[in-house]
């Protein structure tokens, strides 16, 4: 039987292969469909369910429970995909079991969380987004795919597209912040970067847009907690990045852990079928998150796991990650007539199609190649890109009296803080196969830049998160004898990411006390932040001379930070998320509504008694070592018709004395709508470079689609009426004009 199957497959492969590879994207053509069907015809129900089952190996731990029999399941043909297994050698070994020991020899699909690099680690995704550089983001995904596929992987569980307005939620580190438009742009760049235009190429992999949907809106910022938002908010704020990923051809979608409208996302027919398949025409496959079918039982939505499986498959799930619910119950449910085998066939076809597209039936070992692994991973080019990408992700939050850049001839630096000489945290959470012992510390980076020219007086001063103050004395001593203090503070890498919510988002431990004591010395004090979320920084902002937000910068962290501290690179990052003044302001986001009582100095208006409404640093904010001037906005017309376009331009001038890059941002506000509209919404941006004194005109073109939103009937429509249009350097620092949209 096995020989017969292989013959059929090979026949098809030989006849169709070349033509397929020339095709764009992965969309199924008739011949692939035929090959899939002929294989499906040979499969038993058990073998089909195997293809719908994904188990973790024991190489990495990314969830609450493991199963020890994944190897036996591979040998029995009862699992079609494995995650948390990589390296050419290990994937080849497991693949051999599937291909040589099972009846049909169907190759395994290997998935992994390749989120911000595979071996060469880039900044955490929040930092990547702060570059506002979609070309670079795409390139980072391309490099990640190249490294990951060389280690036997076919499928990444990325990009993570969960818009969030809550920095208490640890997974804010893994996404692109608070804005649907910006996150949608990142979605497109990342899907293109991972998948390229040929899934059959050896250096591309399946992307997985996750977690559908609204996982970024848990109550009180606590991970996995209930989500309760309106469908309008879902469609306007949380779904656009997923829609963009589907439009871009994302091969797979992952469900979310949370409930929405009282239904766990993994059991939501609305999300997984009505919207994803029927509205968006998605034709890849849907995988659950880790045991999220089983979790429908504690959610209180399914009576038991068997019932949960039935709900999941009927909602639109194709593959069960780690829960073994399909594995344990689906065959019985078919016998009992609870589940129609045709639904199983449809899911299996979607999954097998991807295996064909990847070329696994040509050669199941093609990705598990030790030679490619040795030559393509952590190359000099990849590290050079990582360094440039990292420095582009940094956001200069404050720079009083041009404290930065530091002069080349600075005599001595007091380098203080728990992150000044730390390697472990630099690669952040979800760092795939990244090896932190290869990462460059800040201390090393400054040493690499300055050699013996500058004395580095290092003191740890404090730990990240305890109350040990015994290092303060030494820190103050080295600070007193140095020209400038560089204080590197922040969070542990695992204080953000999954299951890492914080109720207090100030600097952990006694780091801020250490800062206060250093401030009293009256020396120039530069704070370098490493953290996975916005922190509350009012005191730091009031008292530091300069603040550089570096997120978790990845493998080349220290060199990249030194590039910026000494001005080899002029910072150009902008915040993809608002930084609150106080945790009590959360959720705080720039694209909020106006309310019926917008804030004035009078009592009965929408405000706090103790904190301003505004953030400390707004969305889109970030300084440069140079300055930019914005002209007034020019519109090509003041009235735009529904089928017309509107062109808006500004001239941006570099008014300083060094080259710099600026992210020019365009926002709109519709003044009156059939439902109330946000006070600002990002609708475009351009990153431009300008030499000293240089000016550039920046043009944006809007169509009705840029002005449209999901209305109360869930229809995506633009409505005639008056608009404000803003262009500027952040969501707050803008020029403003108006126009009207007519029928
Ligand atoms: C996470 C997913 C991840 C999966 C596999 C889950 O806990 O929520 O984002 O892809 O584990 O590691």
């Amino acid at each position: 039987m096995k020989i017969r199957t292989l013959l059929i497959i090979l026949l098809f492969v030989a006849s169709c292969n070349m033509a397929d590879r020339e095709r764009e994207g992965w969309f199924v053509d008739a011949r692939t469909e035929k090959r899939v069907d002929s294989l499906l015809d040979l499969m038993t129900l058990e073998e089909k369910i195997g293809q719908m089952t994904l188990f973790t190996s024991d190489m990495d731990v990314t969830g609450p429970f493991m199963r020890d029999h994944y190897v036996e399941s591979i040998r029995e043909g009862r699992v079609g995909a494995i995650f948390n297994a990589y390296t050419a050698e290990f994937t080849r070994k497991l693949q051999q079991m599937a291909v040589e020991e099972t009846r049909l020899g169907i190759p395994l699909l290997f998935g992994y969380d390749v989120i911000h690099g595979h071996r060469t680690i880039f900044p955490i995704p929040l930092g990547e987004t702060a570059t506002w550089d979609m070309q670079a983001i795409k390139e980072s995904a391309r490099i990640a795919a190249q490294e990951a596929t060389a280690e036997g992987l076919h499928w990444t569980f990325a990009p993570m597209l969960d818009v969030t307005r809550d920095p208490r939620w640890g997974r804010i580190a893994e996404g692109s912040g608070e804005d649907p438009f910006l996150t949608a742009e990142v979605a497109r760049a990342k899907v293109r970067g991972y998948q390229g235009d040929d899934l059959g190429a050896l250096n591309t992999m399946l992307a997985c847009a996750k977690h559908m949907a609204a996982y970024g809106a848990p109550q009180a910022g606590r991970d996995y907690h209930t989500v309760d938002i309106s469908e309008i908010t879902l469609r306007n704020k949380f779904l656009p990045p997923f829609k963009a990923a589907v439009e871009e051809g994302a091969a797979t979608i992952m469900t979310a852990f949370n409930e929405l409208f009282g239904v766990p996302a993994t059991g939501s027919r609305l999300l997984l079928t009505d919207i994803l398949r029927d509205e968006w025409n998605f034709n890849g496959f849907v995988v659950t998150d880790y045991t999220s079918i089983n979790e429908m039982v504690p959610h209180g939505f399914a009576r038991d796991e068997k019932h949960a499986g039935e709900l999941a498959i009927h909602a639109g799930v194709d593959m069960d990650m780690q829960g073994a619910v399909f594995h344990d119950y689906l065959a019985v449910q078919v016998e009992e007539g609870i589940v129609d085998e045709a639904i199983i066939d449809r899911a299996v076809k979607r999954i097998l199609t991807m295996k064909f597209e990847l070329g696994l039936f040509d050669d199941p070992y093609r990705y598990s190649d030790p030679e490619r692994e040795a030559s393509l991973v952590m190359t000099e080019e990849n590290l050079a890109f990582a360094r440039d990408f990292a420095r582009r992700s940094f956001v200069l939050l404050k720079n009083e009296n041009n404290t930065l850049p530091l002069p080349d001839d600075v005599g001595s630096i007091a380098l203080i803080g728990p992150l000044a000489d730390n390697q472990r945290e630099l690669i952040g959470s979800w760092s795939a196969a990244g090896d932190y012992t290869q990462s460059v510390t800040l201390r090393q980076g400054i040493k690499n830049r300055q050699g013996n020219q500058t004395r580095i007086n290092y003191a740890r001063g404090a730990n990240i998160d305890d109350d040990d103050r015994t290092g303060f004395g030494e820190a103050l001593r080295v600070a007193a004898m140095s020209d400038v203090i560089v204080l590197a503070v922040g969070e542990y890498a695992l204080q953000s990411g999954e299951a890492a919510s914080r109720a207090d988002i100030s600097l952990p431990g006694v780091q801020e006390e250490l800062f206060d004591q250093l401030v009293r010395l009256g020396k120039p004090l530069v704070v370098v932040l490493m953290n996975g979320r916005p922190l509350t920084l009012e005191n730091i902002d009031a008292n530091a001379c300069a603040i550089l937000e570096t997120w978790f910068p990845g493998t080349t962290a220290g060199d990249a930070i030194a590039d910026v501290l000494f001005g080899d690179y002029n910072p150009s990052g902008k915040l993809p998320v608002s930084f609150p003044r106080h945790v009590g302001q959360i959720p705080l986001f720039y694209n909020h509504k106006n309310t019926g009582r917008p804030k004035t100095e009078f009592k009965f208006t929408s405000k706090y008694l103790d904190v301003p409404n505004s953030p400390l640093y707004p969305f889109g904010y970030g300084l440069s070592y140079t300055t930019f001037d914005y002209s007034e906005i020019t519109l090509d017309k003041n009235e735009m018709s529904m089928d017309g376009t509107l062109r808006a331009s500004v001239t941006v001038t570099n008014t300083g004395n060094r080259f710099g890059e600026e992210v020019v941002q365009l926002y709109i506000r519709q003044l009156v709508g059939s439902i109330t509209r946000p006070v600002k919404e990002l609708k475009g941006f351009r990153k431009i470079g300008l030499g000293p004194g240089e000016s550039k005109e920046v043009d944006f073109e809007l169509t009705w689609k840029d002005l449209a939103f999901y209305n109360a009937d869930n229809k995506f429509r633009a409505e005639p009426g008056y608009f404000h249009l803003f262009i500027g350097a952040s969501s707050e620092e803008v020029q403003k004009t108006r126009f009207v949209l007519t029928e």
Side-chain angles (χ1 to χ4, degrees), residues 62-63 83-84 113 157 171 174 210-211 215 254 257 289-290 321 430 498:
T62 58
F83 67 116
N84 293 338
D113 293 281
F157 302 141
R171 300 197 82 167
E174 288 173 58
K210 70 186 190 186
H211 307 83
Y215 180 39
M254 189 185 293
F257 288 125
D289 204 348
Y290 201 113
M321 184 195 289
W430 288 114
E498 186 171 351

Side-chain angles (χ1 to χ4, degrees), residues 27 188 240 242-250 280:
F27 290 96
R188 291 181 197 281
F242 289 92
K243 186 159 188 284
V246 169
E247 281 166 7
E248 213 52 55
W280 299 350

